[in-house]
Amino acid sequence: MEDFDTLAQERRARLAAERLLELKQAELYEANRKLSKHALSLSGEIIEKRQEAEHLKVENSRTREDLDKANSAIVIAERRLWDSLETIQDGFAVFDPSDTMIAANSAYLRVFDDLEDVKPGISYSDIVRLAVEEGIIDIGDMSREAYIEAALTRWRAATREPQTVRLWNNQYVKLVDRRSRDGDMVSLGLNITGTIRYEERLKKARYKAESANRAKSAFLANMSHEIRTPMNGMVGMADLLAETSLDKEQRLFVETIKSSGTALLNLINDVLDYSKIEASKLVLNPEVFDLEKCIHDVIVLLQPNAAQKGLSLIIDYDMFLPTRFVGDPGRMRQVLTNLIGNAVKFTHEGHVIVRVVGVPEKGGLSQRVHVSVEDTGIGIPKGFENHIFGEFNQVEDDRNRKFEGTGLGLAITRELVQLMGGEIWVDSVEGEGSCFGFCMSMDVVGESADNRAPAWIKDIAVVESVEAHADILSKQLAALGIKATIFADAKSVLENPPAVQAYLISQHLEDLEIEEVIAALKAAEVKAGILVMAAGMGMKAPDIPDVHVVHRPLVRAELCRALAALEPVEISALPPLVLEGPQMPDTTKKAGLRRMRILAAEDNKTNQLVFGKMVKALDVELVFANNGQEAIDLYQSFDPDLVFMDISMPEVDGKEATRRIREIEAQTGRHVPVVAMTAHAMTGDEEEILSHGLDHYMTKPLRKAAIIDRILMEHPAECKPVAPMDDDAPSAVDTAVREAMAEATQIGG
Ligand code: ADP
């Protein structure tokens, strides 16, 4: 049993050992399998890495090749760059941010030829110092230190302008230095010797040409002048000869001498003008002038020519544009004569209109004046608009050739307009007409008393059958503060003559002759002044007693002058007291009124005398102050109704005196009108003077009519009429006023 057990135990043990062995074997097998799998993946990775390494090797060698190529390209580019920099004649250098030279081409270094120190590594300040000390750069009048300081200051500035320096060998170098973004400075030294020499030669040549031109112009000017003198004698004598008794043939000879002489004189005048302009000898003589009158004068001169051809010459002067300007009236007339003369010359039928408008500038102190001369003539072919402004240039065609002329007129006109600071142009349609225009700025001068109508004229009857003329007239009169009543024919006005202060009647009415109209008015006992508008200067004007004639085109100044010359017969237009004076039945009431008090401050005794004479006929109390201080004192003691104040007086002048009077008035609340009397008639004077508290402005020489007009306007209601009263002679009321109005005595001042 025991053996059986032992055997069983042994068998069990063996079986267990066998099982364990099996187990271990299985584990070993599993481990072995894993190991071989891992080995497999490792060997795969090794193959991959090996392939990668292989690839990298190829890449690496390719990169190295590329790098070699790039390096050699850089070397080539650098060599080429330097070859180029070496080839150019201009200097080139680069400095690092601490201003140390990094590189420079031979041209740059050559300037410092013998100086070994000038090479890469040297500082810019050392280069400048060496250049100055060794005399490489011409430093002119500057001290060495100052020159170096200036050069280094320029170098260090944020931005630097190119600088031209002259070298010891008379070469010129233009230094252009620019700092790059990384702080390096690139410096170029451009050799501009050739350019400078060329400029010098050009300058010399230009100077020579200009002197030759000046000499030519001076010669022309002298010759023209020399020729003109005997020519005047010839033309003058021919004129005289023409007035003697001559037979038909002799008259023809003399007329030919006259017309040829005149043509030659015109030509010489043109040449003289042109050469003067070229030689810059022509200077303008600015003075106060009336532009409207200037145009009118030119029109009057050209009217006979225009009338011969049946052309109407019309002025359309903007009613709101002042007429008095500062300019050269003689030269303005020359420009206008040329343009309007050409318009008349090149027009066979139709009209020539001169239009003037202006745009205020500098707050109205000056005007941009536009003048255009429009015609219905032959016109200018396309493409010739600029050509005709050239000297001796004309439109060369059949139609043009028959007109006389030199072709200098427009050239001179353009030069004159430009000399006056203006521009000139032309618009034209061939066969239809041309419009020449020019514009320029001119300072405005306050309207003169000439351009104001007398205060007593308020209503005028205009008898005019041409509607356009009537329109312009009523605009013109409205601008003067006068109401115009228009009558289209004589009949309508004669039916019921209106109560106006003046009649303005056209010489040519459709229904009646002018003489008949005036006779009818006189028969109707019309007392108003009568003005007849004649067709134009040179045209036959009516000669009727007591009738004034004005010529078309009507100019404001002429119209005002004619109105001022009228006798103020229409009493209803005078200030109330004057007009009521003669009708007042109660003389005691009249006697109770005081006389108007007038203070005139004037330091000049002669002017006092003349002023006294001007107002002598008036029934006023006149006191003179000999200076500004006296004027202030008299203002308080005399208590004037009106003050005439001279501006230039010793010690206290008129402006100061008025200021002080206004200070006194600030307490009393009064305001006495103060009228400036001054010889300062330039632009801006009026505004300046009035800014000191004066109310009105009169320029010397004073006009009697203007003074009396002002007195009438300022006449206070509580004063006696300014003219002496006499119930027995009521007409004396306005005798003085009439006298004053009619006369335009002038005093100097
Ligand atoms: P001129 O009249 O003496 O010939 P200008 O210089 O005044 O010289 O004018 C030059 C030319 O311009 C004239 O010859 C003419 O051909 C042309 N021209 C000038 N004004 C006019 C105009 N209003 N209408 C037509 N042509 C004109």
Side-chain angles (χ1 to χ4, degrees):
M1 232 5 228
E2 225 175 80
D3 289 340
F4 185 74
D5 284 346
T6 311
L7 219 64
Q9 272 178 356
E10 279 176 358
R11 218 175 111 235
R12 272 198 305 275
R14 204 179 66 236
L15 280 171
E18 276 173 3
R19 256 196 321 271
L20 188 65
L21 187 64
E22 259 171 36
L23 203 66
K24 290 292 170 196
Q25 263 175 344
E27 275 176 12
L28 202 62
Y29 176 74
E30 185 54 34
N32 207 13
R33 199 180 58 81
K34 275 187 185 163
L35 205 63
S36 63
K37 196 177 164 196
H38 187 64
L40 193 67
S41 93
L42 266 182
S43 74
E45 254 178 53
I46 287 167
I47 290 167
E48 217 173 271
K49 292 285 174 209
R50 212 176 272 151
Q51 278 173 346
E52 261 178 33
E54 200 57 40
H55 181 70
L56 279 178
K57 216 162 128 190
V58 173
E59 281 283 286
N60 200 15
S61 80
R62 212 178 282 154
T63 308
R64 210 175 288 148
E65 258 174 46
D66 286 351
L67 201 64
D68 284 348
K69 270 190 206 157
N71 272 339
S72 61
I74 288 171
V75 170
I76 291 169
E78 196 181 339
R79 204 187 60 231
R80 279 186 184 148
L81 182 66
W82 275 104
D83 282 350
S84 310
L85 289 172
E86 288 298 318
T87 311
I88 57 170
Q89 299 296 306
D90 299 313
F92 168 86
V94 188
F95 294 81
D96 71 10
S98 65
D99 298 335
T100 305
M101 182 190 276
I102 304 170
N105 71 354
S106 316
Y108 191 97
L109 298 175
R110 209 176 302 128
V111 174
F112 309 90
D113 215 12
D114 295 330
L115 299 174
E116 276 181 10
D117 292 346
V118 182
K119 60 181 180 208
I122 188 171
S123 71
Y124 183 73
S125 52
D126 285 345
I127 292 182
V128 175
R129 205 170 297 284
L130 280 171
V132 170
E133 280 167 5
E134 297 294 327
I136 293 169
I137 289 179
D138 178 0
I139 61 172
D141 297 337
M142 286 174 92
S143 71
R144 288 179 176 189
E145 282 316 309
Y147 189 93
I148 293 168
E149 184 58 34
L152 294 181
T153 308
R154 173 183 170 276
W155 179 264
R156 287 177 198 133
T159 55
R160 57 209 70 67
E161 289 297 311
Q163 185 193 358
T164 301
V165 293
R166 203 172 104 170
L167 302 183
W168 59 275
N169 53 5
N170 228 357
Q171 298 277 306
Y172 289 86
V173 174
K174 182 173 176 180
L175 301 175
V176 182
D177 308 293
R178 202 170 75 85
R179 205 168 275 287
S180 64
R181 246 173 298 161
D182 53 10
D184 285 354
M185 182 78 100
V186 178
S187 186
L188 289 179
L190 308 174
N191 189 335
I192 55 165
T193 312
T195 316
I196 295 242
R197 299 259 186 280
Y198 184 62
E199 265 175 21
E200 277 169 3
R201 276 202 304 278
L202 268 187
K203 239 186 244 169
K204 271 189 201 151
R206 194 172 137 193
Y207 178 76
K208 262 192 191 165
E210 279 177 355
S211 338
N213 199 31
R214 268 197 301 273
K216 178 205 79 183
S217 298
F219 172 76
L220 269 178
N222 286 338
M223 279 316 289
S224 306
H225 186 259
E226 292 306 312
I227 298 170
R228 228 155 68 104
T229 317
M231 279 304 301
N232 267 330
M234 283 167 62
V235 174
M237 283 298 148
D239 262 347
L240 290 177
L241 196 57
E243 282 165 19
T244 61
S245 64
L246 301 169
D247 64 30
K248 218 170 156 197
E249 200 182 24
Q250 286 170 328
R251 182 155 304 281
L252 179 72
F253 293 166
V254 172
E255 290 302 329
T256 313
I257 297 178
K258 259 177 69 178
S259 60
S260 310
T262 312
L264 189 55
L265 256 187
N266 286 342
L267 173 66
I268 290 166
N269 283 345
D270 277 358
V271 169
L272 179 68
D273 266 348
Y274 197 77
S275 50
K276 262 193 191 165
I277 293 174
E278 268 217 312
S280 309
K281 274 192 185 160
L282 197 139
V283 281
L284 297 174
N285 295 313
E287 59 182 81
V288 174
F289 79 109
D290 189 313
L291 177 64
E292 194 183 15
K293 178 153 186 322
C294 186
I295 297 172
H296 181 259
D297 290 349
V298 173
I299 295 267
V300 164
L301 214 71
L302 295 168
Q303 197 113 44
N305 277 356
Q308 250 177 19
K309 297 173 155 190
L311 301 179
S312 12
L313 273 181
I314 302 163
I315 303 180
D316 182 4
Y317 194 99
D318 181 359
M319 289 316 298
F320 297 99
L321 180 67
T323 64
R324 298 200 328 142
F325 296 97
V326 178
D328 185 327
R331 295 302 174 184
M332 178 61 82
R333 186 177 307 222
Q334 195 176 352
V335 167
L336 290 165
T337 307
N338 196 276
L339 296 182
I340 306 173
N342 274 352
V344 171
K345 179 161 87 173
F346 294 106
T347 305
H348 299 301
E349 57 182 15
H351 62 246
V352 173
I353 302 183
V354 184
R355 290 184 208 280
V356 190
V357 291
V359 181
E361 292 175 326
K362 296 194 244 159
L365 292 180
S366 132
Q367 289 267 349
R368 186 93 188 142
V369 179
H370 290 243
V371 179
S372 61
V373 179
E374 201 181 289
D375 65 52
T376 51
I378 62 169
I380 295 157
K382 268 217 160 339
F384 274 89
E385 292 89 344
N386 274 331
H387 172 78
I388 53 170
F389 286 101
E391 41 300 1
F392 303 107
N393 287 356
Q394 297 174 310
V395 175
E396 291 288 341
D397 66 15
D398 290 345
R399 277 190 307 169
N400 237 280
R401 224 159 279 144
K402 54 179 178 280
F403 296 101
E404 279 186 2
T406 57
L408 263 182
L410 284 179
I412 294 173
T413 300
R414 185 176 60 180
E415 294 289 341
L416 286 177
V417 169
Q418 283 172 353
L419 203 62
M420 296 178 195
E423 296 164 52
I424 185 164
W425 63 90
V426 62
D427 280 325
S428 183
V429 178
E430 195 179 2
E432 288 184 20
S434 313
C435 178
F436 282 82
F438 66 90
C439 73
M440 62 183 61
S441 298
M442 284 191 286
D443 285 346
V444 175
V445 181
E447 284 299 291
S448 74
D450 285 352
N451 278 359
R452 286 185 209 136
W456 60 271
I457 300 186
K458 300 277 179 235
D459 292 284
I460 288 187
V462 174
V463 192
E464 169 63 74
S465 39
V466 181
E467 206 182 321
H469 283 319
D471 278 356
I472 291 184
L473 267 174
S474 57
K475 270 202 288 175
Q476 244 171 343
L477 291 170
L480 296 171
I482 298 173
K483 185 170 165 290
T485 314
I486 310 289
F487 296 88
D489 49 31
K491 213 171 115 241
S492 55
V493 75
L494 291 175
E495 265 167 14
N496 188 12
V500 290
Q501 289 86 44
Y503 281 72
L504 196 52
I505 310 174
S506 166
Q507 183 186 357
H508 300 291
L509 291 170
E510 281 166 8
D511 49 350
L512 279 184
E513 290 298 321
I514 187 69
E515 290 80 4
E516 294 173 280
V517 183
I518 286 160
L521 283 175
K522 285 194 174 160
E525 297 203 343
V526 166
K527 294 265 186 303
I530 299 178
L531 289 178
V532 170
M533 296 175 282
M537 274 307 178
M539 305 289 117
K540 195 174 167 297
D543 184 16
I544 309 167
D546 299 336
V547 166
H548 301 256
V549 177
V550 283
H551 294 272
R552 287 193 215 269
L554 271 187
V555 176
R556 221 178 304 180
E558 203 198 329
L559 179 62
C560 292
R561 227 175 292 132
L563 291 175
L566 292 179
E567 293 194 3
V569 281
E570 193 61 38
I571 297 168
S572 62
L574 293 174
L577 269 175
V578 179
L579 77 101
E580 281 160 20
Q583 294 142 16
M584 272 193 273
D586 183 0
T587 47
T588 51
K589 201 170 158 195
K590 209 175 11 170
L593 294 173
R594 68 170 177 83
R595 287 197 293 169
M596 181 178 178
R597 289 190 289 267
I598 295 176
L599 169 63
E602 170 64 71
D603 61 319
N604 181 304
K605 290 285 175 218
T606 314
N607 285 349
Q608 281 189 10
L609 194 74
V610 184
F611 189 95
K613 280 194 168 178
M614 283 182 166
V615 299
K616 194 177 109 218
L618 304 185
D619 190 16
V620 293
E621 246 182 281
L622 173 67
V623 171
F624 282 107
N626 294 307
N627 55 51
Q629 186 53 51
E630 262 186 53
I632 302 165
D633 297 342
L634 280 166
Y635 168 79
Q636 285 163 298
S637 58
F638 176 58
D639 192 16
D641 300 304
L642 174 63
V643 181
F644 285 93
M645 184 74 81
D646 181 26
I647 295 301
S648 311
M649 288 187 289
E651 290 166 40
V652 179
D653 68 10
K655 294 187 270 190
E656 174 65 22
T658 311
R659 270 203 306 276
R660 293 218 223 139
I661 288 175
R662 296 299 182 225
E663 275 167 27
I664 300 169
E665 287 182 338
Q667 318 294 323
T668 62
R670 274 194 74 197
H671 184 97
V672 172
V674 180
V675 184
M677 305 190 288
T678 175
H680 299 280
M682 293 308 287
T683 318
D685 284 345
E686 178 168 1
E687 288 73 13
E688 200 279 323
I689 289 174
L690 295 187
S691 72
H692 294 271
L694 292 101
D695 302 283
H696 305 283
Y697 171 86
M698 280 185 182
T699 51
K700 291 179 179 179
L702 298 175
R703 288 173 61 246
K704 184 172 173 180
I707 289 178
I708 295 186
D709 219 19
R710 177 53 57 201
I711 294 176
L712 286 175
M713 275 191 266
E714 307 295 349
H715 176 267
E718 70 271 22
C719 291
K720 271 185 180 182
V722 292
M725 299 285 176
D726 186 344
D727 283 344
D728 303 331
S731 63
V733 174
D734 51 18
T735 310
V737 182
R738 254 188 255 157
E739 257 180 34
M741 293 295 185
E743 227 181 286
T745 315
Q746 298 193 324
I747 39 170

